Amino acid sequence: IAIETMSAGDSLDLHDGAVIEILAVGERGCAYLIRYGDFRLFMTHGEDTDVIQTAAANTILREVSAAVLPGSGSIALNPDVLLETLNPSLVLLVVKPGSGRDIPHPLILEALSPRTILRTDQHGWIKLDTDGRILSITAEYNPE
């Protein structure tokens, strides 16, 4: 498989209507949106506050279906403007067991409280399946 460097504004067609759109790229990370039908998933890689600010200003992110929040829900990487822009129905937090009481940050959890929140430290593997309209979620926790 050929390796290609992508920039903000680039997209990758995954076939059958699924697309990854690169929203922002920085020295320490990137932000992207996965679209399939009506389903839209926001994700980041790395911990770059400039990337997150740039992504938060992108109107394409208004009211996504789901979001994997950066930095395990840390306060520094999840400004109010990002949470307000995303307004996700489903929030996914990748949290290492035993991360401490501030990961995810209590203020982030409070701001997201009316939404469904799934955490890897509490729910284990989290699998999302969608046909572009209906989303089904499977979680499997194995404490070992």
Side-chain angles (χ1 to χ4, degrees), residues 100-137:
R101 61 184 182 103
D102 285 341
I103 299 293
H105 196 279
L107 292 176
I108 297 297
L109 293 175
E110 182 181 323
L112 297 169
S113 64
R115 294 162 185 82
T116 300
I117 301 171
L118 297 175
R119 301 168 45 160
T120 57
D121 61 333
Q122 295 178 348
H123 302 98
W125 289 98
I126 301 166
K127 179 182 175 188
L128 305 181
D129 286 304
T130 185
D131 63 1
R133 288 186 6 252
I134 298 170
L135 175 65
S136 71
I137 305 163

Side-chain angles (χ1 to χ4, degrees), residues 11-20 34-37 130-131:
S11 63
L12 180 63
D13 183 349
L14 302 174
H15 301 292
D16 295 328
V19 176
I20 296 177
I34 298 173
R35 290 187 299 111
Y36 182 56
T130 185
D131 63 1

Side-chain angles (χ1 to χ4, degrees), residues 66-127:
V68 179
L69 293 187
S72 303
S74 75
I75 196 84
L77 294 172
N78 291 281
D80 290 342
V81 66
L82 177 67
L83 301 179
E84 290 167 8
T85 299
L86 293 174
N87 193 22
S89 299
L90 171 64
V91 176
L92 302 168
L93 295 169
V94 179
V95 181
K96 186 176 180 179
S99 291
R101 61 184 182 103
D102 285 341
I103 299 293
H105 196 279
L107 292 176
I108 297 297
L109 293 175
E110 182 181 323
L112 297 169
S113 64
R115 294 162 185 82
T116 300
I117 301 171
L118 297 175
R119 301 168 45 160
T120 57
D121 61 333
Q122 295 178 348
H123 302 98
W125 289 98
I126 301 166
K127 179 182 175 188

